[in-house]
């Protein structure tokens, strides 16, 4: 499972002009299930997202996690993270989980996040979304959890 983390000062997702998720300072995570991923990978990715140290401590070093700073968490499904770009001029999405499996794992990821963390917002699986953000830093980190 892939998570693209962006440390943000604010982020918002809209569908058809309506806000469906919005946070202040925290993490925007674009998430993608790949073929072969299970609940295990989703759970491991969530632990990494919540514990990954990308926020500055008193000395300005990235030593604090989302849990430490109690920021917002905006989870947005994005199957295009699994694009295979090795050949040609058009990406292939065969590495991505099927739409049904991708949605199931994203829903599981969100449910686990809401059970573990108090400030979770989401995008909408399968919808055409407009995502706006102010990347803080900029800090953008690619996390990938492969099947064990």
């Amino acid at each position: 499972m892939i998570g693209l983390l962006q440390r943000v000062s604010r982020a918002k997702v809209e569908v058809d002009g309506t806000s469906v998720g919005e946070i202040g300072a925290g993490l925007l995570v674009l998430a993608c299930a790949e073929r072969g991923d299970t609940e295990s990978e989703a759970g491991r990715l969530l632990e990494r997202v919540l514990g990954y140290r990308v926020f500055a401590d008193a000395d300005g070093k990235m030593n604090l996690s989302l849990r430490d700073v109690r920021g917002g968490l905006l989870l947005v499904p994005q199957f295009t993270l699994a694009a295979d770009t090795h050949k040609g001029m058009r990406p292939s999405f065969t590495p991505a989980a099927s739409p049904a499996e991708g949605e199931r794992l994203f829903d599981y990821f969100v449910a686990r996040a809401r059970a573990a963390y108090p400030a979770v917002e989401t995008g909408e699986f399968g919808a055409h979304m407009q995502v706006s953000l102010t990347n803080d830093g900029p800090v953008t980190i690619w996390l990938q959890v492969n099947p064990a």
Side-chain angles (χ1 to χ4, degrees), residues 1 31 33 37-47 50 73 75 77 99-117 120 122 125:
M1 195 154 176
D37 284 344
T38 66
E39 292 86 354
S40 177
E41 287 75 37
R44 287 197 337 259
L45 180 61
L46 178 62
E47 283 308 307
L50 294 176
L73 177 60
L75 303 174
E101 186 64 3
E103 183 172 18
R104 185 185 75 75
L105 286 171
F106 181 75
D107 289 348
Y108 177 83
F109 186 63
V110 169
R112 288 279 309 264
R114 286 185 168 143
Y117 194 73
V120 178
T122 70
F125 194 94

Side-chain angles (χ1 to χ4, degrees), residues 4-21:
L4 183 70
L5 283 64
Q6 296 185 70
R7 187 177 72 188
V8 299
S9 53
R10 66 177 172 261
K12 179 171 143 178
V13 179
E14 292 182 344
V15 175
D16 296 328
T18 301
S19 177
V20 296

Side-chain angles (χ1 to χ4, degrees), residues 29-61:
V29 179
L30 304 174
C32 174
E34 296 178 280
R35 291 189 188 277
D37 284 344
T38 66
E39 292 86 354
S40 177
E41 287 75 37
R44 287 197 337 259
L45 180 61
L46 178 62
E47 283 308 307
R48 295 201 72 202
V49 164
L50 294 176
Y52 218 70
R53 297 180 303 168
V54 296
F55 295 92
D57 64 13
D59 295 324
K61 301 227 185 269

Side-chain angles (χ1 to χ4, degrees), residues 131-144:
V131 180
S132 58
L133 66 129
T134 302
N135 192 313
D136 180 23
V139 173
T140 301
I141 307 285
W142 176 278
L143 292 179
Q144 189 166 16

